[in-house]
Amino acid sequence: YSVLFSSNFFSFTNIIKAHDQKSDYCEVNHCFNGATCVTGLGDDPFICICADGFGGDTCNLTEIGPCSPNPCRNDGSCEVIAPTRRGDVFNEYVCKCQPGFEGVHCQINVNDCANQPCKNGGTCRDLDGDYACQCLSPYVGKQCQLRCISLLGMEGGAIVESQISASSVHYGILGLQRWGPELARLNNQGIVNAWTSASHDRNPWIEINMQKKMRLTGIITQGASRMGTAEYIKAFKVASSFDGNSYVTYKGDNQRRDKVFVGNTDNDSTKTNLFDPPIVAQYIRIIPVVCRRACTLRMELVGCELNVYSNTAGCSEPLGMKSRLVSDGQLSASSTFRTWGIDTFTWHPQFARLDKAGKTNAWSPAHNNRSEWIQVDLEKTKRLTGIITQGAKDFGVVQFVSVFKVAYSNDGELWSTVKDENTDNDKLFQGNIDNNTHKKNLFEPPFYARYIRVIPWEWHERITLRMELLGCDD
Ligand SMILES: *[C@@H]1O[C@H](CO)[C@@H](O)[C@H](O)[C@H]1NC(C)=O
Ligand SMILES: *[C@@H]1O[C@H](CO)[C@@H](O)[C@H](O)[C@H]1NC(C)=O
Ligand SMILES: *[C@@H]1O[C@H](CO)[C@@H](O)[C@H](O)[C@H]1NC(C)=O
Ligand SMILES: *[C@@H]1O[C@H](CO)[C@@H](O)[C@H](O)[C@H]1NC(C)=O
C-alpha cells in the first residue's frame, strides 16, 4: 500500500508530480528504524521515507551489504571491494574521504593548521580541507607572507593636487593665505604648509581619490603651526568608498561602533595608525572628530596595489562555501522550498554548499521564476574571479540551474548585475546539465564585492543549486 523511498530507488514520478501538494506527517508513525512517515500523498494512506540502510514498505528491512548502511563518515563515499586484509582486520569496502578528512572511516578531521601555515603572527583557522589565515596588519596574502607598506605619495607627490579635496578651506590673513587640501602632505614646509578646514565648517573632511582600488594598511598624520600656534587633529574617523557616492565609516574589528583614531599632540610629530583589518577602497576620507584650535592636517597613506601579487590565476581560491569559512549566517535567499511542504525536507540556502551530501542537500526556492535569488555575505570586500555551480536530486529527480545571472553589492542594498563585456547586457552564465557535475564560470573582468547574489534564469525541473565562489582577499 505504499511506496518505498530509499536512496537506491528512484521511480516516483506519480509522487513527484505531487510536489506542490501540501502533505503532512502521520499522526502515528507506522514506519520503523528512524524513517519519516508522510500522509496525504496520492491514494496511499501513508508513505515511509527510509533512513539510509533500510528498505521495505515500512523500512523494517535492513539493506544488506558492506556499504549499506554507509560506514563512512563526513560525506565519505563507500566502495565495495574484494575482501582484503588490512592489518588484523578483513575489509570488504573502502571509504573515499572528502578533502580534509582521513582515517579508515573518514572519521578524522585533518587539522590543516598543524603545519602552522600562517606567517607573521597570523591566526590560523582549520576548515574542512582548507585553512584560513587572519593576518595582522600590514601583512596580507593567503599565508600573511606579504608586507603591504608602500607610502602612497602624499609626501612624495605621486598623489597629485587634483586627487585631494576637502569639505572646506581656511583662508588666513585677510584671505591671502589658502590652507588648501593639496597642502596636506606629510612634512610639507613653509609658512602655509597644511590643510585647515574653515572655522564655520561643522562637519569637516579631507578626501583622497586614489584613482583605483587600493589596499590601505595605515595612515600617518601630523599637525602644523600657524602664526606661532600649534594646530592639529587630536582624534579622527576614517570613511571609504568605491565610487565616491556611498561611504562606509571604518569600524575595525568592532562591528558596532565607528573606530576613533588617536591623532596628534603637537604641531610637528607624526602619529602612525594601522588599519587592522586593512581598508580596500578607491576613496578615503579623514573625518576630524576633535581638533586643537583648528582642524589642521599633513598626512601620508600606507598601503599597496591590490593586484601586484595576484592575477586571476593566483586569485582563484574557494572562498568557503564548501569549507564552511562562509558560515550559515552568511547565506540567505529570497525563499526556500519544502518537499511535500515538510519542514524536514527544507532546501535551505545554508545547504547550497558544493558537494553537500544528504537527502536535502542544496538550495531550492519556493517558486520557480526569475525573481528568486541566493545571497552570500562575505563579511568583507573580496575580489571575485569565478563561480562553480552544481545541481542536485530531490528523491531521485534530477534538478539544476542551467542559466543564471550574478549580481553584487557593497552594502547589500544597491546591486549591480555582472554585464557581458561585448553587449553590455546582463551576462547569462551557462550553468549545469546534470545533478552532479561541477560547472565553472570565470568573471571576466573580476570584480570586488562583499555581497554576491546568484539569480537563476533557466532551470531543469526545479531551481536547485549548490555552489562555490572563487577569488581572494585582495
Ligand atoms: C516488515 O513488515 C511487513 C509488513 O509491514 C511484514 O509483512 C514483514 O514480515 C516485516 N519484515 C520483517 C523482517 O520484520
Ligand atoms: C612646533 O614643533 C617644533 C618641533 O617639535 C617645536 O620646536 C616648536 O616649538 C613647535 N611650535 C609650536 C608653535 O608649538
Ligand atoms: C514569482 O512568483 C511569485 C510567487 O508566485 C510572485 O509573487 C512573483 O511576482 C513572481 N515573479 C515573476 C518574475 O514572475
Ligand atoms: C547523478 O549524478 C551521479 C554522480 O555523477 C550519477 O552517478 C547519477 O547517474 C546521476 N543521476 C541521474 C539520475 O542522472
Side-chain angles (χ1 to χ4, degrees):
Y1 47 58
S2 60
V3 181
L4 159 69
F5 281 81
S6 88
S7 45
N8 303 327
F9 185 81
F10 294 133
S11 50
F12 325 120
T13 324
N14 53 332
I15 304 301
I16 299 308
K17 294 299 174 220
H19 258 195
D20 295 331
Q21 176 183 334
K22 174 86 181 164
S23 317
D24 217 337
Y25 293 112
C26 311
E27 273 181 35
V28 178
N29 190 351
H30 306 283
C31 314
F32 297 94
N33 296 310
T36 305
C37 183
V38 181
T39 184
L41 289 170
D43 298 333
D44 298 311
F46 67 89
I47 291 174
C48 294
I49 301 169
C50 302
D52 281 343
F54 297 98
D57 286 355
T58 55
C59 307
N60 62 348
L61 305 176
T62 310
E63 288 181 1
I64 314 279
C67 283
S68 189
N70 185 355
C72 312
R73 312 264 304 274
N74 295 306
D75 292 345
S77 62
C78 182
E79 279 182 21
V80 180
I81 51 168
T84 52
R85 201 180 168 80
R86 195 190 276 186
D88 289 342
V89 193
F90 281 103
N91 265 323
E92 296 177 293
Y93 60 87
V94 282
C95 290
K96 298 255 167 84
C97 304
Q98 293 275 340
F101 295 96
E102 59 181 34
V104 176
H105 293 121
C106 310
Q107 74 278 24
I108 302 164
N109 187 348
V110 179
N111 181 0
D112 298 289
C113 288
N115 296 333
Q116 302 184 315
C118 307
K119 318 275 181 232
N120 296 308
T123 316
C124 187
R125 193 171 137 205
D126 184 28
L127 305 171
D128 291 356
D130 201 358
Y131 61 87
C133 295
Q134 170 126 37
C135 305
L136 290 175
S137 208
Y139 295 97
V140 296
K142 169 86 177 164
Q143 301 185 305
C144 311
Q145 74 279 28
L146 309 166
R147 266 161 40 113
C148 175
I149 51 161
S150 304
L151 303 178
L152 296 190
M154 288 297 282
E155 181 172 11
I159 295 172
V160 301
E161 275 190 36
S162 58
Q163 291 173 254
I164 313 168
S165 57
S167 56
S168 66
V169 172
H170 173 79
Y171 289 89
I173 322 237
L174 304 171
L176 294 177
Q177 290 180 344
R178 179 188 144 86
W179 295 74
E182 67 283 357
L183 301 175
R185 299 176 184 279
L186 199 73
N187 296 319
N188 203 1
Q189 302 298 313
I191 293 169
V192 182
N193 65 335
W195 166 67
T196 303
S197 63
S199 50
H200 58 77
D201 187 353
R202 294 278 141 241
N203 299 298
W205 50 259
I206 180 168
E207 175 175 293
I208 319 295
N209 174 1
M210 292 169 287
Q211 292 182 324
K212 62 181 171 187
K213 294 186 183 74
M214 300 283 285
R215 180 180 13 229
L216 299 173
T217 53
I219 182 169
I220 308 170
T221 54
Q222 192 179 31
S225 85
R226 187 149 59 85
M227 317 248 309
T229 322
E231 294 183 351
Y232 47 87
I233 298 172
K234 290 160 88 166
F236 61 93
K237 295 186 185 183
V238 169
S240 64
S241 170
F242 287 102
D243 55 8
N245 288 320
S246 79
Y247 287 79
V248 278
T249 309
Y250 186 74
K251 294 187 163 50
D253 275 331
N254 181 340
Q255 291 300 308
R256 256 174 255 152
R257 263 183 293 149
D258 295 348
K259 166 120 182 163
V260 176
F261 294 92
V262 175
N264 299 108
T265 54
D266 63 25
N267 76 75
D268 209 45
S269 15
T270 59
K271 166 80 183 181
T272 301
N273 278 286
L274 289 182
F275 300 134
D276 202 355
I279 297 172
V280 172
Q282 177 172 340
Y283 298 82
I284 181 134
R285 225 174 232 204
I286 291 84
I287 303 166
V289 174
V290 184
C291 298
R292 150 80 196 229
R293 291 187 62 91
C295 299
T296 296
L297 181 69
R298 292 178 284 170
M299 61 178 277
E300 181 61 276
L301 295 171
V302 183
C304 56
E305 301 246 353
L306 286 174
N307 308 326
V308 181
Y309 312 109
S310 59
N311 50 24
T312 304
C315 176
S316 57
E317 297 155 25
L319 292 182
M321 290 294 286
K322 179 167 175 169
S323 73
R324 298 188 159 270
L325 176 63
V326 173
S327 65
D328 284 353
Q330 292 170 248
L331 298 166
S332 56
S334 50
S335 67
T336 51
F337 180 77
R338 291 179 305 161
T339 302
W340 305 306
I342 299 171
D343 288 341
T344 316
F345 304 119
T346 305
W347 297 75
H348 296 287
Q350 289 76 17
F351 291 173
R353 301 179 183 279
L354 200 71
D355 293 333
K356 182 169 171 59
K359 279 207 164 84
T360 48
N361 62 332
W363 167 66
S364 191
H367 314 286
N368 287 296
N369 69 28
R370 294 175 170 178
S371 310
E372 305 289 340
W373 47 261
I374 179 168
Q375 174 176 317
V376 184
D377 173 2
L378 293 170
E379 287 187 334
K380 62 179 185 174
T381 301
K382 300 204 179 194
R383 185 166 192 245
L384 278 298
T385 58
I387 184 170
I388 299 172
T389 51
Q390 189 181 29
K393 280 187 300 201
D394 184 2
F395 292 103
V397 179
V398 172
Q399 308 179 152
F400 54 83
V401 173
S402 49
V403 178
F404 61 91
K405 294 187 180 184
V406 173
Y408 58 97
S409 167
N410 289 308
D411 56 7
E413 286 171 15
L414 246 133
W415 294 87
S416 317
T417 309
V418 174
K419 301 286 181 196
D420 188 306
E421 273 206 287
N422 302 320
T423 63
D424 208 37
N425 295 327
D426 289 356
K427 167 118 181 168
L428 293 174
F429 292 94
Q430 295 304 310
N432 299 108
I433 52 168
D434 63 20
N435 71 79
N436 214 45
T437 312
H438 293 184
K439 169 70 183 181
K440 181 166 160 182
N441 276 282
L442 295 181
F443 300 136
E444 290 165 320
F447 57 87
Y448 292 89
R450 170 174 165 179
Y451 300 89
I452 292 92
R453 274 186 188 176
V454 175
I455 304 160
W457 212 245
E458 286 170 26
W459 48 88
H460 178 73
E461 288 286 346
R462 213 179 64 220
I463 295 172
T464 302
L465 194 64
R466 293 179 281 174
M467 63 186 206
E468 181 63 270
L469 293 168
L470 304 174
C472 57
D473 266 359
D474 289 347

